[in-house]
Amino acid sequence: MASYKYHILVCGGTGCHSSQSNVIAERLNEIIADKHLENDVKVVASGCFGFCEKGPIVKIMPDNTFYVGVKPEDADIIIAEHIIKGRKVEKLLYVDPDTKKHISDSKHMGFYQKQMRIALRNCGFIDPENIEESIARGAYEGLGKVLSDMTPAECINVVKQSGLRGRGGAGFPTGLKWELCAKNSADQKYVVCNADEGDPGAFMDRSIMEGDPHSIVEAMAICGYSIGATKGLVYIRAEYPLAIKRLQIAISQAREYGLLGKDILGSGFDFDIELRYGAGAFVCGEETALIHSMEGKRGEPTFKPPFPAVSGYLAKPTNVNNVETFANVPIIITKGAEWFASIGSEKSKGTKVFALAGQINNVGLIEVPMGTTLRDIIFEIGGGIKNGREFKAVQTGGPSGGCLTKKHLDTPIDYDSLVAAGSMMGSGGMVVMDETSCMVAIAKFYLEFTCEESCGKCSPCRIGNKRMYEILDKITKGKGKMEDLEELRNLASVIKDTALCGLGQTSPNPVLSTLDNFWDEYVEHVVDHKCRAGVCKSLMRYEIDPIKCIGCGACSRVCPQDAISGEKKMAHSIDTAKCIKCGACYEKCKFGAISIK
Amino acid sequence: MAKIKSLNDLRNMQSDLQAKINLRERADHPESMVQIKVGMATSGIASGAKEVFNYLSEELQKRNIDAIVTQTGDMGYCFAEPTIEVTLPGQEPIVFGYVNIAKAKEIIDKYIMNGELVEGIIPKNYKTID
C-alpha cells in the first residue's frame, strides 16, 4: 500500500458538486499523475463539510488546511504551492469577517467552534463511496455488537435510555416506537427510512445520505434486528439523484461484505434493503401517506390508529424513522445510552442538524447540541445577518413551523421550547429573515406551499387553507379588513383541530405565529395600507422628489411601461396608473430622487 | 471480496483498514502527537530534505508512532539544511539542523522515542502564529 503523505479531501456534496467540485478533483488527479505524486497524495471525494456558503471546499490533511471557494483552475496552485513547496495558498484561505485574518484550520472558525457533529460525524471525513473507509471509522461495529452480544429487547432498551427522539419533526421517542412495533407479531415486518425531506430549504437528510450512507444502512439493520424485521425500505425522493446513487453503492457494498443479506456476521439474522422512489410530494413525508405511496397507491394519509407499528406497509407492522434519527443509532449502540443522554437538554437529548438559509452570512449545514440558543446559532455559527442588516425573525420547522423573533433569541432550542414559543423543531430548516422581509408575505408564501401540497383528502386542509390564503392575499393587496384578521384566527384553529394528518394540523402555524409576533405589521397592511418592508407591491408606490430630480431622463428610458414623463432638465413624474412597480427606475436613479412610499 | 463472517472478523478488518484514514484521524487532534515540519524550500530540497521527509513519514508509520509529518517553507536556517522542527506532545518545538537520513534515524531513536536530546539543535529565533 502506498504510504500517502497527504490526503486532499474535496467536498462531493450536491452544493459543491454543482459548483464543479468534481472537476476540481479530476484536475487535482491529473496534476498529481503529471508530477508523479500518485504515491504521495491521495484525492478523496468526501461528503458535505457544512460550510456551503464558502464552497467548494478542499481540505488538506494532515495539516488540516481548509480552502474555501476553490475553482478548478486553483488545483494547479494547490499542488504547486501547498503540496510541493509546503506553503499555504493564502488567497484560498478563509478570512475571518471580524478580525480580517486568514484562518487555515477549520477548528478555529466561528462557524465550527460551537458545533458538535454526531449525526454528521463522518460527513466531510470519509469517501462515502468506499465502504472500507466507513469500516475504518467504526461503521457496522454497532450492528456487530447488537447481533453478537444483545437481545432485541436490550437493544431497544439502549435506544430508549439514550432519550433519542424522532428527528423528522414531531419528536416521538424512537425507542418507544421500536418497542411498539416489536410487540406486534407478524410473519413479516418492515423497517422504513423516511428520506422524503420536503421542507423548503432543508437539506440535512440529503447531506447525511450523501456523506455517510453506511450509517443509515447499519442503523436500519439494527432496527430490523430489534423489531424482528428482515426487510428495509428507503423512501427517497427522486430529486436526490446523488443521495440515491451513494445509497445504492453503499447497499451493494454492504451486501458484498456480508453486512446485508443472509446470516449477517454469522448470527443467523437476515436483512436487506431496497430503495423506493417518491415523486417529491410534501405530504408523503407523513408516515401513512409515505406507506401508501410505497404501496403504489395515491400518496394520501389515513387516520391513525391503526399506527404503522400495527398495520403499515402491506398491512404489516412497520417502523418508520427519519434519516437523521437513524444516523444517530449506530453511535448510540457503540458509545452507549449514557453518553448520548449526557448531551443536550433535559427532555431533548443529543444534537440536531439544522440547515441555515436565508439572509444569513454563513449559509450551510450545522449540528449543535440540543439546548443551544438561537442567538448562538444565528450570530456565532451563522455569522449574523447579511449586509449588516437587522435580524427580524427566524422561521423554523418549515411550512408546519412558525416564525420566532428577537425575544426568542435566547431560548434554548429543543422540541418542547420551540413548541412553547409557537413554532416547532420540524426537520431542521432554519430560514433567517431581516427587515426586508414582510411577515404577511412570508405567511402567504408558506400557505401557498401548503395549498399546493395538500392532498385534498380532508376538507379543513383542502378548503380551509385555500380560504386562509385568499384572505392573506387580500391583505397583501391592501384590501383587507380588521374582521379578516379575526377570521384568520378562527379558520386556523378549526383547521388545527379537524385536519386529518400532521400536514393539515400544522399548516396554520406560520399564520398564527406571525399574527402573534407581528400583529402590528398585519394592522399596518389593513389600516394604513402600508408594507414596511416594501415587499407587497400593491401597497407601495414610487415617487420622484422634484427637488432632487435633475431631469436626466435615465429613469424614463428604463421604464418598461413608459410611465415616467417630464421635460429634459426638469423634474419628472411617475404615472401611478401605468406603473407596475418593477423598481427599474429606483435602481437606475443616481441622485436618490426616487423613493418608495 | 470474501464476506465478513463475525464481529471479530469485522474488528480485525477495521484495525487493518485504520491505516487508510489514520492520516486524517491524526489531523483532528495534532496536539496529542509528534509533529514534524520539514523545511522544504529550494535550499532544503537541494540538500536532500525531500528524502528526509519521505524517510520520516515512512519510518514513523512503520514503527507505529502517531505523528504528523508536514513540509513547510524556508525556516531561515539555510546554512544548516535540511532543517526539521520537531514538537513532542506538550513540549516546545525544537529545530534540528543538518538532518540527513542517518541523523533523522537518530532523532527518531533518541529524541522521539526516548526524549533524549541529540546534537544539532539550532536555537529557535522565530515565533509562529497559527
Side-chain angles (χ1 to χ4, degrees), chain B residues 15-129:
Chain B
S15 57
D16 290 347
L17 289 171
Q18 214 115 52
K20 274 194 156 187
I21 57 163
N22 246 341
L23 190 88
R24 277 174 256 165
E25 296 272 6
R26 288 200 289 255
D28 256 8
H29 39 94
E31 58 294 334
S32 65
M33 55 197 69
V34 181
Q35 296 178 64
I36 303 177
K37 287 181 183 161
V38 182
M40 280 173 57
T42 309
S43 59
I45 296 173
S47 41
K50 180 84 188 165
E51 288 73 25
V52 173
F53 174 73
N54 287 346
Y55 171 78
L56 282 169
S57 59
E58 278 154 29
E59 187 64 22
L60 289 164
Q61 226 164 62
K62 242 186 253 166
R63 299 198 195 187
N64 265 330
I65 296 173
D66 275 345
I68 297 181
V69 185
T70 50
Q71 46 183 322
T72 183
D74 199 315
M75 292 195 228
Y77 310 106
C78 305
F79 59 95
E81 292 291 0
T83 44
I84 68 170
E85 182 194 281
V86 182
T87 314
L88 298 187
Q91 295 192 24
E92 286 295 306
I94 289 184
V95 178
F96 297 92
Y98 306 104
V99 182
N100 53 21
I101 290 181
K103 190 80 195 169
K105 184 173 182 308
E106 194 189 343
I107 291 172
I108 296 179
D109 286 340
K110 292 194 174 155
Y111 183 59
I112 295 177
M113 309 230 354
N114 296 315
E116 285 168 43
L117 291 176
V118 296
E119 293 234 347
I121 295 176
I122 301 177
K124 226 178 130 169
N125 59 3
Y126 59 84
K127 277 190 179 150
T128 47
I129 45 161

Side-chain angles (χ1 to χ4, degrees), chain A residues 539-568:
Chain A
L539 297 185
M540 58 191 229
R541 63 200 153 83
Y542 287 94
E543 248 179 41
I544 298 177
D545 181 345
I547 298 167
K548 285 188 185 160
C549 177
I550 63 149
C552 69
C555 55
S556 66
R557 281 193 294 276
V558 293
C559 177
Q561 292 298 99
D562 282 331
I564 303 179
S565 56
E567 296 280 317
K568 237 183 191 169

Side-chain angles (χ1 to χ4, degrees), chain A residues 143 204 238 305 428 490 500 561:
Chain A
L143 177 64
M204 295 77 55
N490 269 337
L500 175 67
Q561 292 298 99

Side-chain angles (χ1 to χ4, degrees), chain A residues 5-6 64 83 125 136 265, chain B residues 5 13 18 24 27 57 71:
Chain A
K5 314 284 185 306
Y6 289 101
N64 235 348
I83 301 297
F125 194 91
L265 298 177
Chain B
K5 296 276 188 236
M13 187 172 182
Q18 214 115 52
R24 277 174 256 165
S57 59
Q71 46 183 322

Side-chain angles (χ1 to χ4, degrees), chain A residues 284-350:
Chain A
C284 289
E286 199 280 338
E287 55 184 10
T288 59
L290 180 153
I291 288 168
H292 296 312
S293 171
M294 286 201 308
E295 289 167 339
K297 298 179 187 150
R298 282 181 74 156
E300 285 179 345
T302 41
F303 190 72
K304 294 192 277 193
F307 287 94
V310 178
S311 172
Y313 183 60
L314 305 176
K316 302 289 182 191
T318 304
N319 179 72
V320 187
N321 284 132
N322 148 279
V323 172
E324 192 189 333
T325 316
F326 275 131
N328 280 297
V329 168
I331 196 156
I332 289 176
I333 300 291
T334 49
K335 287 205 171 190
E338 274 167 32
W339 165 78
F340 193 78
S342 70
I343 303 160
S345 65
E346 197 197 335
K347 287 191 178 154
S348 306
K349 300 301 183 189

Side-chain angles (χ1 to χ4, degrees), chain A residues 3-7 9 44 61-64 83-86 107 125-126 130 132-133 135-138 140-141 144-145 148 255-259 265-266, chain B residues 1-7 10-11 13-14 17-21 23-25 27-30 40 45 50 53-54 57-58 61 68-73:
Chain A
S3 73
Y4 295 110
K5 314 284 185 306
Y6 289 101
H7 285 181
L9 302 181
V44 180
M61 301 289 221
D63 44 307
N64 235 348
I83 301 297
I84 295 179
K85 292 191 185 145
K107 282 202 286 287
F125 194 91
I126 55 161
N130 183 342
E132 299 200 338
E133 293 202 354
I135 292 176
R137 282 282 275 181
Y140 297 102
E141 202 184 328
K145 189 174 163 187
S148 44
R255 280 189 197 132
E256 201 182 309
Y257 279 65
L259 297 161
L265 298 177
Chain B
M1 169 66 213
K3 296 200 170 183
I4 307 171
K5 296 276 188 236
S6 68
L7 179 56
L10 178 74
R11 286 193 174 138
M13 187 172 182
Q14 188 190 338
L17 289 171
Q18 214 115 52
K20 274 194 156 187
I21 57 163
L23 190 88
R24 277 174 256 165
E25 296 272 6
D28 256 8
H29 39 94
M40 280 173 57
I45 296 173
K50 180 84 188 165
F53 174 73
N54 287 346
S57 59
E58 278 154 29
Q61 226 164 62
I68 297 181
V69 185
T70 50
Q71 46 183 322
T72 183

